[in-house]
Amino acid sequence: MAFDYDLFVIGGGSGGVRAARLTSILGKKVGLCEEYRMGGTCVIRGCVPKKLMVYASKYSQDFKDAIQYGWSNDESYRHDWALLQKKIEDEVSRLSKIYSNNLQKAGVELFSDRGVIIDENTIELKNSGRRITAKHILIATGGTPFVPDIPGAEYVMTSNEIFLLKEKPESVLIVGGGYIASEFACIFNGLGISTTQVYRGAQILRGFDQDMQDSVSEAMVNNGIDLKLNTDVSAIEKTDSGYCVTLNNGDVKTVDQVFYATGRKPVVQDIGLEAVGIKLDASDAIVVDEYSKTSIDNIYAVGDVTNRLNLTPVAIREAVALVDTLYNDKPTAMDHNDIATAIFTQPEIGTVGLSEADAVAKYEHVDVYKAAFRPMKHILAGKDEKMVMKLIVSAQDNIVRGCHILGEASGEMIQLAAIAIKMKATKADFDATCAVHPTASEELVTMKEPSKKYR
Ligand code: NDP
C-alpha cells in the first residue's frame, strides 16, 4: 500500500524535529505537525529561556563581587524586567524559526496543527480535518506541568506561564524541590525578588548525591532564599494584594505570585492513542521497547512522552537511534546509562553516574573521594560558599562510577568528566592526569585519599 509519508511525526520538540530532519535527509518522505510553536519545551518554555534567565540573575552577585575586586559602585544597578523578557522572546522566536527553516530545507513538510491518530497508519489534522497516511508514526508530544489538586490551584503559574510574565513580581512562593523549582528559586532570588521555596520532603533535589543536595541547599539559604522543608501548601486564596498561601504547618504567606514546579506529566490526551490501543504505564507515559517502539508495530515514541529520562539531549539521542534503526539498517538501542546533567541552581551542580548512596547499594566496596573548598574567586570576594567535588569509585576494580560537582561552571566541567566516566576511567587514570592550574577543576585529579571507605 502506498502511503502519503514514510514517517509522520506528531510534535515539533527536540526529539520529533531531529527524527524528522534526519529521516528526510535520507530521502524519505516526512511530515511533521506541531500545534503550538516549533521547538518544544526546550526552546520555547524550558532550557533556553531558563538559561538566559540564569545568566540575567547572576549579575546581582557579580556586581557585589566586583566591588571586592576594586570596582566602584558608582551607579546603582536596576533590572529592567520588560527588556529581559523581550530579549528572551526575540531569541526564542529566532531559534523557533531556525527549527522550521532547517526542517523545510531538509524537505520535511510542516503542518501547524494538532495530529490525532485515527488508525495504525492514519493521522487526522484536527484544525484542517485533513487525513494523512504514513508507514511509520512517531509520537513526540513531550510533557506538560503537573499541578496537584489543591484549593486555589487555578491561581498558580507553572513553567508554561513563567516566561510570559509581563511584570516583575516582588515576591514569589515556589512549590517543589526538583530541577525547575530549585533553579527558579535561584533565578528569582538573583533578580531581587523575595523568594520562598516550599518543599514537602526533607531535602531538595531528591535522588541526587546527598552532599550535593545539602551543600546547594545551604548555599541557597545563605544567598537569601527562604527554604521551607517538610512543608506543603494547603490552600491558596486570591486577595487584593496578591495571593494568600496557607501552609500545612498553619503559617500564612502573602505573595505576588505562586509558582508550582511539582513535576511534569506526558502529553497523551486527545492524540488518538486509545484508537489503536497504545499502552501507557502507571504514570501515563507511552510504553516503548529499547528501540522506542510502542505496543503497535509501526508506531514509535521518543522523548518526555515516554518518561525515560526527561532531558533534551536524551530525546535527541533517542530520535537518532530510531532513525538508525528504521532507515539506516542499524538497529540501535539508546543507552540511558551515565548521562550527565546540570542543575542550574546558584551555585550550579554537574553530575554523572552513581551517587554515593546508589554506589553503596550496588557495590560492596566503595571509595569516596571528596574535596570541599573555597574557590580562589570567592576568597577575594569574601564569600564563604564552598565548591564541592566528589568521585565515587567501586574499590574492587578502581572504576570511577560517579562524579558530582557543586560550584561555578560545574555544568561545563561535567560534560568532560562524563567522557572519562563513559569510557570507564579508573581512579588511577584520574591520578595520572596532570592538573590544570590554577583552576577549581584541578581538584578532580588531585584527590589522593578517600574520605570514606565502605567495605
Ligand atoms: P522533578 O520531578 O525534578 O521535581 C518535582 C518536584 O515536585 C519534586 O520535588 C517532588 O517532590 C515535587 N512534587 C511532586 N508532586 C508533588 C505534590 N503533589 N505536592 C507537592 N510536591 C510535589 O520535576 P520538575 O518539574 O522540576 O522537572 C521536570 C523534569 O524536567 C526533570 O525531572 C528533568 O528531567 C527536566 N528538567 C531538567 C533540567 C536540567 O537539565 N537542568 C531543568 C529543568 C527540568 P518529591 O521529591 O517528594 O517527589
Side-chain angles (χ1 to χ4, degrees):
M1 177 180 167
F3 296 106
D4 299 334
Y5 295 95
D6 294 299
L7 174 69
F8 195 85
V9 180
I10 305 178
S14 303
V17 165
R18 185 60 59 99
R21 198 166 58 81
L22 293 185
T23 305
S24 192
I25 287 169
L26 291 173
K28 303 286 177 191
K29 195 149 192 293
V30 182
L32 180 147
C33 66
E34 164 59 53
E35 66 176 339
Y36 188 50
R37 298 168 74 186
M38 201 62 76
T41 299
C42 172
V43 173
I44 308 296
R45 43 179 126 66
C47 319
V48 170
K50 182 274 307 285
K51 189 77 189 280
L52 294 171
M53 288 189 89
V54 169
Y55 286 134
S57 63
K58 276 184 168 178
Y59 282 103
S60 55
Q61 185 62 51
D62 290 346
F63 293 146
K64 282 186 209 148
D65 291 352
I67 294 165
Q68 302 303 323
Y69 277 86
W71 291 94
S72 55
N73 187 12
D74 296 337
E75 291 182 49
S76 61
Y77 294 103
R78 280 181 313 279
H79 184 256
D80 185 338
W81 178 268
L83 177 97
L84 176 66
Q85 297 300 79
K86 165 148 192 351
K87 295 199 86 159
I88 290 177
E89 173 48 32
D90 288 351
E91 176 59 4
V92 165
S93 295
R94 189 183 72 87
L95 291 174
S96 181
K97 276 199 201 90
I98 290 176
Y99 267 61
S100 303
N101 290 345
N102 285 347
L103 281 169
Q104 279 162 334
K105 264 192 239 156
V108 177
E109 229 176 300
L110 297 183
F111 300 89
S112 292
D113 212 329
R114 185 180 184 88
V116 179
I117 296 172
I118 300 295
D119 66 37
E120 290 176 16
N121 295 105
T122 311
I123 299 111
E124 184 173 280
L125 298 176
K126 213 168 171 192
N127 297 335
S128 69
R130 180 174 163 186
R131 288 199 171 191
I132 279 168
T133 61
K135 183 172 180 205
H136 296 129
I137 295 173
L138 174 62
I139 304 165
T141 46
T144 192
F146 154 78
V147 177
D149 190 14
I150 45 137
E154 66 274 24
Y155 300 129
V156 312
M157 281 189 307
T158 68
S159 55
N160 279 355
E161 292 80 41
I162 198 84
F163 302 107
L164 306 173
L165 254 190
K166 291 277 170 270
E167 273 176 36
K168 177 174 160 178
E170 282 185 11
S171 55
V172 173
L173 183 137
I174 302 176
V175 185
Y179 276 85
I180 299 180
S182 304
E183 291 181 339
F184 268 95
C186 298
I187 289 171
F188 291 144
N189 186 52
L191 289 172
I193 297 167
S194 164
T195 306
T196 305
Q197 184 179 357
V198 170
Y199 173 53
R200 65 182 178 180
Q203 189 53 284
I204 57 167
L205 297 172
R206 184 169 63 82
F208 290 92
D209 187 90
Q210 185 79 49
D211 276 311
M212 297 292 121
Q213 293 182 274
D214 292 343
S215 307
V216 78
S217 140
E218 187 186 324
M220 284 164 62
V221 171
N222 285 340
N223 287 338
I225 294 167
D226 179 12
L227 177 59
K228 295 183 187 302
L229 299 173
N230 298 309
T231 310
D232 212 342
V233 170
S234 306
I236 304 165
E237 281 171 83
K238 196 169 175 5
T239 68
D240 290 344
S241 55
Y243 298 98
C244 177
V245 184
T246 306
L247 303 176
N248 62 353
N249 59 12
D251 287 356
V252 173
K253 193 143 179 108
T254 299
V255 288
D256 286 350
Q257 294 286 349
V258 183
F259 175 42
Y260 262 72
T262 41
R264 296 172 60 82
K265 59 178 189 342
V267 174
V268 291
Q269 298 298 319
D270 305 325
I271 51 171
L273 301 187
E274 52 298 327
V276 281
I278 287 177
K279 284 202 186 110
L280 303 181
D281 68 13
S283 64
D284 273 354
I286 295 181
V287 177
V288 287
D289 69 8
E290 59 192 314
Y291 300 103
S292 296
K293 186 158 81 175
T294 69
S295 49
I296 305 300
D297 263 352
N298 68 312
I299 303 184
Y300 296 80
V302 294
D304 290 6
V305 75
T306 64
N307 196 25
R308 285 174 280 185
L309 201 51
N310 299 333
L311 299 167
T312 295
V314 173
I316 290 173
R317 283 295 180 101
E318 287 168 357
V320 174
L322 177 66
V323 174
D324 278 344
T325 302
L326 288 181
Y327 307 113
N328 279 331
D329 204 17
K330 201 167 73 177
T332 306
M334 165 74 190
D335 177 4
H336 288 94
N337 291 312
D338 292 334
I339 289 170
T341 176
I343 305 141
F344 293 101
T345 40
Q346 295 169 39
E348 69 189 43
I349 298 173
T351 175
V352 62
L354 297 180
S355 66
E356 180 176 333
D358 287 345
V360 170
K362 184 165 180 186
Y363 299 101
E364 207 180 326
H365 297 165
V366 173
D367 289 339
V368 177
Y369 294 82
K370 178 177 159 187
F373 56 95
R374 276 172 85 200
M376 190 193 258
K377 189 179 170 197
H378 289 179
I379 295 173
L380 243 67
K383 273 170 65 184
D384 287 333
E385 189 176 289
K386 288 209 165 65
M387 194 145 188
V388 183
M389 298 196 179
K390 279 181 86 172
L391 292 178
I392 314 292
V393 178
S394 54
Q396 295 99 318
D397 48 17
N398 203 232
I399 292 176
V400 180
R401 303 288 175 178
C403 176
H404 313 280
I405 309 173
L406 173 85
E408 190 168 312
S410 59
E412 304 290 340
M413 286 180 219
I414 208 67
Q415 180 68 82
L416 304 178
I419 300 171
I421 296 209
K422 195 77 190 159
M423 292 175 75
K424 302 260 177 291
T426 61
K427 179 65 172 63
D429 293 322
F430 275 68
D431 294 343
T433 305
C434 198
V436 179
H437 187 71
T439 63
S441 55
E442 64 186 297
E443 293 290 332
L444 282 177
V445 295
T446 55
M447 290 187 270
K448 291 292 172 238
E449 292 302 321
S451 57
K452 268 194 223 166
K453 287 182 176 208
Y454 293 92
R455 294 292 182 265

